[in-house]
Amino acid sequence: MDVVNNISRSLNTKIIGKTIYQFKKVDSTNRISADMAKKGVEEGTVLIAEIQEKGRGRIGRSWFSPEGNIYLSIILRPALSSQMASLLTLIASISVTRVIRDITSLDAKIKWPNDIFIRNKKVGGILTELSADSEKIRYAVVGIGLNVNIEKNDLPEEISSVATSLREEAGRSIDRRSLVVNLLEDFELWYAVMKNRERDRILNEWKRLSDTIGRWVEVRLHDKKIEGLAYDITEDGYLKIRLKDNSLETVVAGDICY
Ligand code: BTN
C-alpha cells in the first residue's frame, strides 16, 4: 500500500508538506532530510518512507521500521533562537497524540520525554535533530515514527512486551493516509503557535495529554537512580520531580519508569 498516495491533494496546509518525497526504502528519513536541509531544501518539506533500514531512535538507539507503519521527517527552518528548539519535539508529540485520539478514539498519551503510549505500551516516538549555532536554528528535522498496522508477532522479541501498534490496540487496521494528512495539518497549527512564541499554550497542551505528570516515577541517571513525583515540566520540556525528602530535581534527558 502506498502511504502517501494522493496525499498532497487532500492536504490543507500552507507550509508543511507542500513538497512531499516518498520512498519505498531508505536508511533513515531523518538522515536524508538532514542532507537535503543542508542543500537548502524549502521549509516544510516532508519525507516519508515505507521501510527504514537504519531507523534512528533517541539516545543512539535504532528504530524498528518494517513495512506497514509511518516513518516521516519534516524539515523546518524556524527563525527562532536555539532555546526554542525543544518546543519542536513537544509540538510533534502533541500532534501525534491528538491525531491518534481523533482517528482511532484510543487513549493515546505522552510519556515523558516524547514517547507516545497506549495502555502502557509505546506506539510512537519523536526524534528531533538540529543544526544550530548558539543563537539561531539553521534547520531542524522532526522525525516521527508510529507503529500503525504491524501485528504483535511482527515485533522483535526484545520490544514485544513494551511496544504495540494502533492496529493491535484498535483491533482493526488503520488508514495511514488519513493519519498522515491529519498529522501534518495539526502540526502546522502548532508550528504557528510555536512561531508566535506562545510557549504556555504548548506546555499546557502537552501537560493535558501527558501520562507522566502526577505520577510517581523512577529515573536512572548515569550514576544514580532517583524516585519521586513528576509534578511539572520546565519551559524547555525537562521533567521536574519532587523527591521523598521534598527536594526538587530536574531531569533533562533519559528514560523514566513507572
Ligand atoms: C524514539 O526513540 O522514540 C524516537 C524514534 C523516532 C523514529 C523516527 S522514524 C522517522 C524518523 N527517521 C528516523 O530515522 N527516525 C525517526
Side-chain angles (χ1 to χ4, degrees):
M1 188 179 71
D2 192 351
V3 65
V4 290
N5 193 13
N6 288 330
I7 219 173
S8 309
R9 246 198 279 155
S10 346
L11 199 59
N12 195 9
T13 54
K14 290 207 164 67
I15 312 167
I16 308 298
K18 243 182 82 188
T19 308
I20 299 180
Y21 293 100
Q22 184 202 357
F23 302 94
K24 174 75 188 164
K25 196 191 276 183
V26 295
D27 53 355
S28 150
T29 55
N30 264 30
R31 210 256 328 136
I32 298 174
S33 297
D35 268 6
M36 291 173 83
K38 273 178 217 146
K39 289 181 186 140
V41 91
E42 69 176 342
E43 154 144 293
T45 299
V46 170
L47 274 73
I48 306 186
E50 290 283 329
I51 297 170
Q52 294 186 120
E53 290 182 314
K54 281 192 180 161
R56 300 177 184 169
R58 278 196 305 118
I59 358 185
R61 293 179 185 143
S62 60
W63 186 256
F64 176 62
S65 310
E67 198 161 8
N69 294 333
I70 291 173
Y71 314 107
L72 69 81
S73 300
I74 310 170
I75 299 169
L76 299 166
R77 304 180 186 282
L80 294 173
S81 68
S82 325
Q83 282 79 30
M84 299 283 286
S86 55
L87 293 181
L88 285 172
T89 317
L90 299 184
I91 62 169
S93 53
I94 287 173
S95 290
V96 174
T97 308
R98 285 162 56 100
V99 164
I100 295 174
R101 288 183 179 199
D102 271 7
I103 291 188
T104 67
S105 300
L106 289 165
D107 191 20
K109 291 181 176 164
I110 307 170
K111 180 177 180 190
W112 186 89
N114 285 291
D115 292 344
I116 316 303
F117 266 62
I118 298 174
R119 293 191 202 113
N120 292 327
K121 287 188 172 178
K122 181 160 168 169
V123 72
I126 318 290
L127 178 66
T128 301
E129 296 181 291
L130 208 64
S131 168
D133 57 32
S134 53
E135 305 267 292
K136 283 215 145 153
I137 301 171
R138 277 189 283 268
Y139 67 81
V141 173
V142 175
I144 297 171
L146 184 59
N147 294 343
V148 183
N149 284 325
I150 54 164
E151 292 175 13
K152 198 173 171 31
N153 295 341
D154 301 328
L155 291 166
E157 210 185 310
E158 62 275 19
I159 58 169
S160 67
S161 60
V162 289
T164 190
S165 71
L166 297 182
R167 180 196 184 127
E168 279 297 327
E169 298 303 317
R172 63 184 167 93
S173 71
I174 305 292
D175 179 23
R176 288 183 296 167
R177 197 168 149 278
S178 9
L179 278 170
V180 172
V181 168
N182 285 276
L183 172 60
L184 298 180
E185 288 177 354
D186 196 71
F187 184 84
E188 179 158 292
L189 296 178
W190 286 98
Y191 188 50
V193 173
M194 175 181 165
K195 286 199 291 188
N196 253 346
R197 296 177 167 78
E198 294 177 83
R199 204 187 269 268
D200 282 350
R201 248 181 95 186
I202 295 172
L203 295 175
N204 287 338
E205 183 65 355
W206 190 95
K207 284 186 248 182
R208 186 181 76 84
L209 300 171
S210 161
D211 183 41
T212 303
I213 304 303
R215 281 210 193 234
W216 192 259
V217 301
E218 199 181 284
V219 190
R220 268 171 238 124
L221 304 171
H222 335 278
D223 49 350
K224 57 176 180 174
K225 197 161 83 179
I226 59 167
E227 263 183 56
L229 179 73
Y231 69 97
D232 205 356
I233 51 167
T234 68
E235 56 173 32
D236 294 313
Y238 303 154
L239 191 63
K240 289 162 113 176
I241 300 177
R242 183 184 301 279
L243 309 190
K244 274 192 202 130
D245 63 3
N246 265 337
S247 62
L248 304 179
E249 281 265 1
T250 300
V251 184
V252 173
D255 289 318
I256 53 169
C257 306
Y258 44 74

